[in-house]
Amino acid sequence: MLASRAFSLVGKRALSTSICLRAHGHAGVVKAEDFSLPAYVDRRDVPLPEVAFVRDLSAQQKALKEKEKASWTALSIDEKVELYRIKFNETYAEMNKGTNEWKTVLGGVLFFLGVTGLILIWQKHFMYGPIPHTFSDEWVSAQTKRMLDMRVNPVEGISSQWDYEKNEWKK
Amino acid sequence: LARGMQHTAVRQAHRKHEPTFHDKYGNLVLLGGAAVFTTVWGYVLTQLGMQWGLSPVGRVTPTEWRE
């Protein structure tokens, strides 16, 4: 009994598919979406794209395509260009042409770096306390002499930069 | 044909490409951004009174510290 129930369900599915077929009217094929069809592309490494650029030709263009079937010497320059433009979107020259995008990019980058500077201004004004007295010129110069007298970092550091004979910074 | 055009002028019969945002405003954005940058950072680096902790080497003249 269960088996027969299962079978009838299968039969029901077949029935519903045939109803769908009737509903669509023709071969039961769903209309192909644009993205599933071969596409035109402007790429340097694809010199002959799968389809022509212009899909639906105007009456004028159709007439031109008919003329193309005859001798090509009969075609004018403008007609040849028009035939080219039917088949292709951009020329290689147009494809390869540089842009001015870098100006916008660089300008934008500099602008937002400037905004970062504004953040620093805000911090100095609203957040940081006063600078400690140990950064005053008198203190720093005395501190520097004390470091040199102690021979702090004599190999490659600060004392190595001081000329103890001449009493000045090394050139 | 149009393909081989490197020396001949491109026939702009129906291909007048619209100027992009970058064509119209690129120079303005570039210069404006540079101006903002130099103004703000010029101020921050010199006028704001930040302690940058620069090296004393070549800059500071040592003075006596012993009392």
Side-chain angles (χ1 to χ4, degrees), chain A residues 7-36:
Chain A
F7 267 91
S8 67
L9 276 168
V10 171
K12 276 202 180 67
R13 207 167 65 142
L15 184 62
S16 61
T17 0
S18 62
I19 289 173
C20 284
L21 280 172
R22 276 199 289 132
H24 273 268
H26 42 95
V29 176
V30 181
K31 180 182 176 302
E33 297 288 338
D34 268 350
F35 62 77
S36 65

Side-chain angles (χ1 to χ4, degrees), chain A residues 110-150:
Chain A
L110 289 173
F111 175 79
F112 284 108
L113 287 177
V115 169
T116 308
L118 291 179
I119 294 177
L120 286 190
I121 294 172
W122 184 95
Q123 285 180 326
K124 176 66 180 165
H125 194 274
F126 288 107
M127 194 182 82
Y128 291 142
I131 296 174
H133 67 99
T134 50
F135 285 100
S136 66
D137 289 339
E138 309 86 41
W139 190 282
V140 167
S141 56
Q143 169 183 297
T144 309
K145 183 160 200 328
R146 187 162 173 273
M147 285 167 73
L148 294 172
D149 292 345
M150 279 197 282

Side-chain angles (χ1 to χ4, degrees), chain B:
Chain B
L1 215 63
R3 272 280 172 87
M5 286 192 197
Q6 252 120 27
H7 312 291
T8 57
V10 177
R11 234 171 283 262
Q12 300 281 11
H14 64 107
R15 281 283 149 156
K16 204 66 194 165
H17 282 215
E18 280 301 306
T20 64
F21 175 89
H22 312 300
D23 295 325
K24 283 185 277 189
Y25 304 111
N27 287 322
L28 185 66
V29 172
L30 181 61
L31 294 173
V36 167
F37 180 84
T38 43
T39 322
V40 170
W41 279 98
Y43 177 74
V44 167
L45 290 173
T46 60
Q47 303 293 334
L48 192 55
M50 303 269 274
Q51 175 53 242
W52 292 106
L54 298 177
S55 170
V57 173
R59 187 177 62 96
V60 170
T61 309
T63 56
E64 191 49 60
W65 54 274
R66 294 182 186 83
E67 257 117 63

Side-chain angles (χ1 to χ4, degrees), chain A residues 38-52:
Chain A
Y40 177 85
V41 62
D42 272 322
R43 280 182 60 110
R44 285 180 5 213
D45 50 1
V46 181
L48 287 173
E50 293 167 329
V51 287

